[in-house]
CSV table of all heavy atoms in Angstrom, one decimal:
chain,number,residue,atom,x,y,z
A,1,ALA,N,-8.7,1.0,-13.2
A,1,ALA,CA,-8.1,-0.3,-12.9
A,1,ALA,C,-8.1,-0.6,-11.4
A,1,ALA,O,-8.1,-1.8,-11.0
A,1,ALA,CB,-6.6,-0.3,-13.4
A,2,ALA,N,-8.1,0.4,-10.5
A,2,ALA,CA,-8.1,0.2,-9.1
A,2,ALA,C,-9.5,-0.1,-8.5
A,2,ALA,O,-9.6,-0.6,-7.4
A,2,ALA,CB,-7.6,1.4,-8.4
A,3,ARG,N,-10.6,0.1,-9.3
A,3,ARG,CA,-11.9,0.0,-8.8
A,3,ARG,C,-12.2,-1.3,-8.1
A,3,ARG,O,-12.8,-1.4,-7.0
A,3,ARG,CB,-12.9,0.3,-9.9
A,3,ARG,CG,-14.3,0.6,-9.3
A,3,ARG,CD,-15.3,1.0,-10.4
A,3,ARG,NE,-15.1,2.3,-11.0
A,3,ARG,CZ,-15.5,3.4,-10.4
A,3,ARG,NH1,-16.2,3.4,-9.3
A,3,ARG,NH2,-15.3,4.6,-11.0
A,4,PRO,N,-11.8,-2.5,-8.7
A,4,PRO,CA,-12.2,-3.8,-8.0
A,4,PRO,C,-11.5,-4.0,-6.7
A,4,PRO,O,-12.0,-4.8,-5.9
A,4,PRO,CB,-11.7,-4.8,-9.0
A,4,PRO,CG,-11.5,-4.1,-10.3
A,4,PRO,CD,-11.2,-2.7,-10.0
A,5,TYR,N,-10.5,-3.2,-6.4
A,5,TYR,CA,-9.7,-3.4,-5.2
A,5,TYR,C,-9.9,-2.3,-4.1
A,5,TYR,O,-9.3,-2.4,-3.0
A,5,TYR,CB,-8.2,-3.5,-5.5
A,5,TYR,CG,-8.0,-4.5,-6.7
A,5,TYR,CD1,-7.7,-4.0,-7.9
A,5,TYR,CD2,-8.1,-5.9,-6.5
A,5,TYR,CE1,-7.6,-4.9,-9.0
A,5,TYR,CE2,-7.9,-6.7,-7.5
A,5,TYR,CZ,-7.6,-6.2,-8.8
A,5,TYR,OH,-7.5,-7.1,-9.8
A,6,GLU,N,-10.6,-1.3,-4.4
A,6,GLU,CA,-10.6,-0.1,-3.6
A,6,GLU,C,-11.2,-0.3,-2.2
A,6,GLU,O,-10.7,0.4,-1.3
A,6,GLU,CB,-11.5,1.0,-4.3
A,6,GLU,CG,-10.9,1.5,-5.5
A,6,GLU,CD,-11.8,2.4,-6.3
A,6,GLU,OE1,-13.0,2.3,-6.1
A,6,GLU,OE2,-11.3,3.2,-7.1
A,7,LEU,N,-12.1,-1.2,-2.0
A,7,LEU,CA,-12.7,-1.4,-0.7
A,7,LEU,C,-12.0,-2.5,0.1
A,7,LEU,O,-12.4,-2.8,1.2
A,7,LEU,CB,-14.2,-1.7,-0.8
A,7,LEU,CG,-15.0,-0.6,-1.5
A,7,LEU,CD1,-16.4,-1.0,-1.6
A,7,LEU,CD2,-14.9,0.7,-0.7
A,8,GLY,N,-11.0,-3.1,-0.5
A,8,GLY,CA,-10.2,-4.1,0.2
A,8,GLY,C,-9.3,-3.5,1.2
A,8,GLY,O,-8.8,-2.4,1.1
A,9,LEU,N,-9.0,-4.2,2.3
A,9,LEU,CA,-8.1,-3.8,3.3
A,9,LEU,C,-6.8,-4.6,3.3
A,9,LEU,O,-6.8,-5.8,3.4
A,9,LEU,CB,-8.7,-3.9,4.7
A,9,LEU,CG,-10.0,-3.2,4.9
A,9,LEU,CD1,-10.6,-3.5,6.3
A,9,LEU,CD2,-9.8,-1.7,4.8
A,10,PRO,N,-5.6,-3.9,3.2
A,10,PRO,CA,-4.4,-4.6,3.2
A,10,PRO,C,-4.2,-5.2,4.6
A,10,PRO,O,-4.4,-4.6,5.6
A,10,PRO,CB,-3.3,-3.6,2.9
A,10,PRO,CG,-4.0,-2.3,2.9
A,10,PRO,CD,-5.5,-2.5,3.0
A,11,PRO,N,-3.9,-6.6,4.7
A,11,PRO,CA,-3.8,-7.2,6.0
A,11,PRO,C,-2.8,-6.6,7.0
A,11,PRO,O,-3.1,-6.6,8.2
A,11,PRO,CB,-3.5,-8.6,5.7
A,11,PRO,CG,-3.3,-8.7,4.2
A,11,PRO,CD,-3.6,-7.4,3.6
A,12,GLN,N,-1.8,-6.0,6.4
A,12,GLN,CA,-0.8,-5.5,7.3
A,12,GLN,C,-1.2,-4.1,8.0
A,12,GLN,O,-0.7,-3.7,9.0
A,12,GLN,CB,0.6,-5.3,6.6
A,12,GLN,CG,0.6,-4.3,5.5
A,12,GLN,CD,0.1,-4.8,4.2
A,12,GLN,OE1,-0.6,-5.7,4.1
A,12,GLN,NE2,0.5,-4.1,3.1
A,13,LEU,N,-2.2,-3.5,7.3
A,13,LEU,CA,-2.6,-2.2,7.9
A,13,LEU,C,-4.0,-2.3,8.6
A,13,LEU,O,-4.2,-1.5,9.5
A,13,LEU,CB,-2.8,-1.2,6.7
A,13,LEU,CG,-1.5,-0.8,6.0
A,13,LEU,CD1,-1.8,0.1,4.9
A,13,LEU,CD2,-0.5,-0.2,6.9
A,14,GLN,N,-4.8,-3.1,8.1
A,14,GLN,CA,-6.2,-3.3,8.7
A,14,GLN,C,-7.0,-2.0,8.5
A,14,GLN,O,-8.0,-1.8,9.2
A,14,GLN,CB,-6.2,-3.7,10.1
A,14,GLN,CG,-5.6,-5.1,10.3
A,14,GLN,CD,-6.3,-6.2,9.5
A,14,GLN,OE1,-7.5,-6.3,9.6
A,14,GLN,NE2,-5.6,-7.0,8.7
A,15,VAL,N,-6.6,-1.0,7.8
A,15,VAL,CA,-7.3,0.1,7.5
A,15,VAL,C,-7.1,0.5,6.0
A,15,VAL,O,-6.2,0.1,5.4
A,15,VAL,CB,-6.9,1.4,8.3
A,15,VAL,CG1,-7.3,1.1,9.8
A,15,VAL,CG2,-5.5,1.7,8.1
A,16,GLY,N,-8.0,1.2,5.5
A,16,GLY,CA,-7.9,1.7,4.1
A,16,GLY,C,-8.0,3.2,4.0
A,16,GLY,O,-8.5,3.8,5.0
A,17,THR,N,-7.7,3.7,2.9
A,17,THR,CA,-7.7,5.2,2.8
A,17,THR,C,-8.7,5.6,1.7
A,17,THR,O,-9.1,6.7,1.7
A,17,THR,CB,-6.4,5.7,2.5
A,17,THR,OG1,-5.9,5.1,1.3
A,17,THR,CG2,-5.4,5.5,3.7
A,18,LEU,N,-9.0,4.7,0.8
A,18,LEU,CA,-9.9,5.0,-0.4
A,18,LEU,C,-9.3,6.1,-1.3
A,18,LEU,O,-10.0,6.8,-1.9
A,18,LEU,CB,-11.3,5.3,0.1
A,18,LEU,CG,-12.0,4.2,0.9
A,18,LEU,CD1,-13.4,4.6,1.2
A,18,LEU,CD2,-11.9,2.9,0.3
A,19,TYR,N,-8.0,6.3,-1.3
A,19,TYR,CA,-7.4,7.3,-2.1
A,19,TYR,C,-7.7,7.2,-3.6
A,19,TYR,O,-7.9,8.2,-4.2
A,19,TYR,CB,-5.8,7.3,-1.9
A,19,TYR,CG,-5.4,8.0,-0.6
A,19,TYR,CD1,-4.6,7.4,0.3
A,19,TYR,CD2,-5.8,9.3,-0.3
A,19,TYR,CE1,-4.2,8.0,1.5
A,19,TYR,CE2,-5.4,9.9,0.8
A,19,TYR,CZ,-4.6,9.3,1.7
A,19,TYR,OH,-4.3,9.9,2.9
A,20,PRO,N,-7.8,6.0,-4.2
A,20,PRO,CA,-8.1,6.0,-5.6
A,20,PRO,C,-9.5,6.6,-5.9
A,20,PRO,O,-9.7,7.3,-6.9
A,20,PRO,CB,-8.1,4.5,-6.0
A,20,PRO,CG,-7.2,3.9,-5.0
A,20,PRO,CD,-7.4,4.7,-3.7
A,21,ILE,N,-10.4,6.3,-5.0
A,21,ILE,CA,-11.8,6.9,-5.1
A,21,ILE,C,-11.7,8.4,-5.0
A,21,ILE,O,-12.3,9.2,-5.8
A,21,ILE,CB,-12.8,6.3,-4.1
A,21,ILE,CG1,-12.9,4.8,-4.3
A,21,ILE,CG2,-14.1,7.0,-4.2
A,21,ILE,CD1,-13.7,4.1,-3.2
A,22,PHE,N,-10.9,8.9,-4.0
A,22,PHE,CA,-10.8,10.3,-3.8
A,22,PHE,C,-10.2,11.0,-5.0
A,22,PHE,O,-10.6,12.1,-5.4
A,22,PHE,CB,-10.0,10.6,-2.5
A,22,PHE,CG,-9.8,12.0,-2.2
A,22,PHE,CD1,-10.9,12.7,-1.6
A,22,PHE,CD2,-8.6,12.7,-2.4
A,22,PHE,CE1,-10.7,14.1,-1.3
A,22,PHE,CE2,-8.5,14.0,-2.1
A,22,PHE,CZ,-9.5,14.7,-1.5
A,23,VAL,N,-9.1,10.5,-5.5
A,23,VAL,CA,-8.4,11.1,-6.6
A,23,VAL,C,-9.3,11.1,-7.9
A,23,VAL,O,-9.3,12.0,-8.6
A,23,VAL,CB,-7.0,10.4,-6.8
A,23,VAL,CG1,-6.3,10.9,-8.1
A,23,VAL,CG2,-6.1,10.6,-5.6
A,24,ARG,N,-10.0,10.0,-8.0
A,24,ARG,CA,-10.9,9.9,-9.2
A,24,ARG,C,-12.0,11.0,-9.1
A,24,ARG,O,-12.3,11.7,-10.0
A,24,ARG,CB,-11.6,8.5,-9.3
A,24,ARG,CG,-12.2,8.3,-10.6
A,24,ARG,CD,-12.7,6.9,-10.9
A,24,ARG,NE,-13.2,6.2,-9.8
A,24,ARG,CZ,-12.6,5.2,-9.1
A,24,ARG,NH1,-11.4,4.7,-9.5
A,24,ARG,NH2,-13.1,4.6,-8.1
A,25,GLY,N,-12.5,11.2,-7.9
A,25,GLY,CA,-13.5,12.3,-7.6
A,25,GLY,C,-12.9,13.7,-7.9
A,25,GLY,O,-13.5,14.5,-8.5
A,26,GLN,N,-11.6,13.9,-7.5
A,26,GLN,CA,-10.9,15.1,-7.8
A,26,GLN,C,-10.8,15.3,-9.3
A,26,GLN,O,-11.0,16.4,-9.8
A,26,GLN,CB,-9.5,15.1,-7.2
A,26,GLN,CG,-9.5,15.1,-5.7
A,26,GLN,CD,-9.7,16.6,-5.2
A,26,GLN,OE1,-9.0,17.5,-5.6
A,26,GLN,NE2,-10.7,16.7,-4.3
């Protein structure tokens, strides 16, 4: 469910972590 949003950056942070991708890989 997170896949469509994974590469988006929250405006308040201006950085992403890609945690959903990492956890899926795990």
Side-chain angles (χ1 to χ4, degrees):
R3 196 175 290 278
Y5 312 102
E6 291 170 343
L7 299 178
L9 300 176
Q12 68 275 22
L13 298 177
Q14 297 302 311
V15 295
T17 58
L18 304 183
Y19 282 124
I21 299 171
F22 182 75
V23 173
R24 193 169 40 249
Q26 290 281 307

